[in-house]
Amino acid sequence: MQSMVSKLALATVLSTSFVLFTPTSFANSQTDATLVELLAKHPAISNIKIAPDGRHLAIQVFVEGRQALAFYGAASMKMVGSFRMQYPMQIGEFQWVNNERVVFKLTETLAWQRQPVYYGELYGVNYDGSKGELLFGFRAGKKQTGTRLKQREGKSAWAEFVFNQADERNQILLKSTPTSEGGDRQPELVAMDVYNGELKSKGRAPIAYADVVADQQGEPRIASGIDNKYHRQVYLKDIKTDKWQQLPKRNYGRYFTPIAVTADNQGLHVLDNFQQDISGIFEYRFADGSYKPIFTDNTVSITQTLVTADTQSVYAARLDDGKPSYVFLSDQTQEATVFSNLLETFPGDDVTITSKSKDGKKWVVQVSSDKAAATFYLYDHEKVTLTKIADSRPELKGVKFAATEPVKFKSFDGLDIHGYWTQSPVQSEHKPTIVLVHGGPHGVRDYWGFDTELQFLALSGYNVLQVNFRGSGGYGYKFQQKGHRQWGDAIQRDIIAGTEWAIAQGKAKAGNLCIMGGSFGAYSTVQSATLAPDLFKCGVAVAGVYDLSLLAGKGDIQYLSYGKAYLDEAVGTDEAQLQQYSPVHHVSKLKTHLLIAHGKKDERAPYIHAEKLQQALDKAGKPYQWLEFNDETHGFYDPVNRTKYFNELKVYFSKHLVM
């Protein structure tokens, strides 16, 4: 099943990713064909993690259309091993489980679609490429030599990592969710041997869709999940009785998300919005049930928490009020000092820690910005050195990308709305502008950072406006609730208000704007164009839903046990309103020309949505452009398809906007 990649093959790829690579420079006046293809490609390196002892690096690389692993000595920066699967298998998310071994999710590329699928299987391999073994999943059963008996049973289940550091028995803790149409069965917690895949049950989690956190010994201690009414439930495991006990709902907020058990095993750090609007950090104590607030920002919820290498304390919190910033909760830890110095070393950049050695002395640091794709560095605390490992997209070095700046404006009802403005480096008195709408809509938002689609638009000569409309995540519970049952009205009016603000500010020019987006962004493209027929010259709708009445019966949301409850809360059940908010019924109002793009294998927004929109446009005699992909799901995964899509966009926008 497995196949070793030759060191020469991987070394060839990696040599173009390390500092020896000399990139080609591109003109910034326009996106030429070569740059379009490069922007459409997958990153050459998607992740780098360091082993617990700090001696080796695992580098996830893209080779010949597939993900592979290369292992390097952290001191020598020389390859010591490599591994990839035979087609159609690929390497997904991976974890170092001890000093010599990595366990990864096994994904599969299906014959009829481009995007790999995870079926719950786990695979293990040593850093020298040896001892490759399918450890978990429906194909993991092994027969004993000379008998018909199986050494272990294959699991028809999905595995997720819970505690990935192997104990003295070489076991890690997994969440094993039995196969079902919606993944709504209660998961089993199992200890898995990382060498032979043998499993030991730790009982079942008390609720479906559970986020489980283990204590310092790797034993399951907290489970937080969603019930069929779309309400959060929290359970704590009594270490004396080994039984789960439900925490009363009055004791926590709607967004309760466990971070880590404290060093004394007597408490828990949590992200939550208990008795407040914005989500912050709390500490829950097991003995008396006390819930102590630690830190909450005034404007935005915490995006990420930074935890010490021993996972025993939170030392910093990331905020995304515009550009990323950090609040230090403790200056007593080594990690806090190091991370503070890293932020000073890369001022204004997005600094992320991908992994650390167990002793906290070696870190892998990922640095990016709005104008630069990620670069990976190795920080050595003993030597106080920072060494560049690799660029994630080395072929883009030397390209001058556009800057993105946070913006804020008042919506139609006075509500503050945040977003981002990217000014094209191609100067034009006509100020051609594209409003790029994010998906979701609830709990999702746009962030400041490097984005290949956004940069493609900017380098093609178009300014770009992004709007974190009401319903978006990160701005508090009330802000998110304001978007519920307002998909077709207030959310769209926020987008329209942002567009009118850009015109009033002189950033954009009336009559020379287009709108585009994927998923909910595609829905917004069409719906906003029906509400403001004269605002947008054109619109690009990718993988959208256009008839809200279909949501309850078509797509993968219906298979979730809480799917109906979610739709009732987010969209509502008023059929008249669903008709009013479904753009497929209002295309007669359109003056905006549309480009409709959809993948035929889409299960989130089934292809029937695009077909119904097409039929409605034909019936109303409205012009449009059609672009379908037989082998794509929800969006575009394949670089060839993405290149085709980008090139279609260049031609399309040039027809409808004045440069």
Side-chain angles (χ1 to χ4, degrees), residues 531-543:
L531 295 178
D534 297 311
L535 190 57
F536 303 107
K537 295 288 290 183
C538 62
V540 179
V542 180

Side-chain angles (χ1 to χ4, degrees), residues 476-514:
Y477 177 70
K478 293 178 182 178
F479 187 86
Q480 187 164 317
Q481 288 293 107
K482 287 180 182 293
H484 285 172
R485 305 185 187 185
Q486 289 295 313
W487 284 25
D489 188 16
I491 288 179
Q492 307 308 320
R493 294 170 73 185
D494 288 343
I495 297 169
I496 293 168
T499 307
E500 293 172 339
W501 167 86
I503 295 171
Q505 292 291 313
K507 294 176 175 292
K509 191 171 184 178
N512 204 30
L513 298 101
C514 283

Side-chain angles (χ1 to χ4, degrees), residues 43 176 256 270 281 316 379 384 390 421 451 482-483 540 551 581 624 635:
S176 169
F256 182 102
V270 181
I281 298 176
Y379 173 75
V384 195
W421 177 264
D451 182 276
K482 287 180 182 293
V540 179
L551 288 177
Y581 289 173
Y624 62 90

Side-chain angles (χ1 to χ4, degrees), residues 197-215:
E198 290 182 0
L199 302 174
K200 179 182 177 182
S201 178
K202 296 277 189 177
R204 291 202 174 275
I207 187 171
Y209 310 111
D211 291 325
V212 180
V213 171
D215 62 19

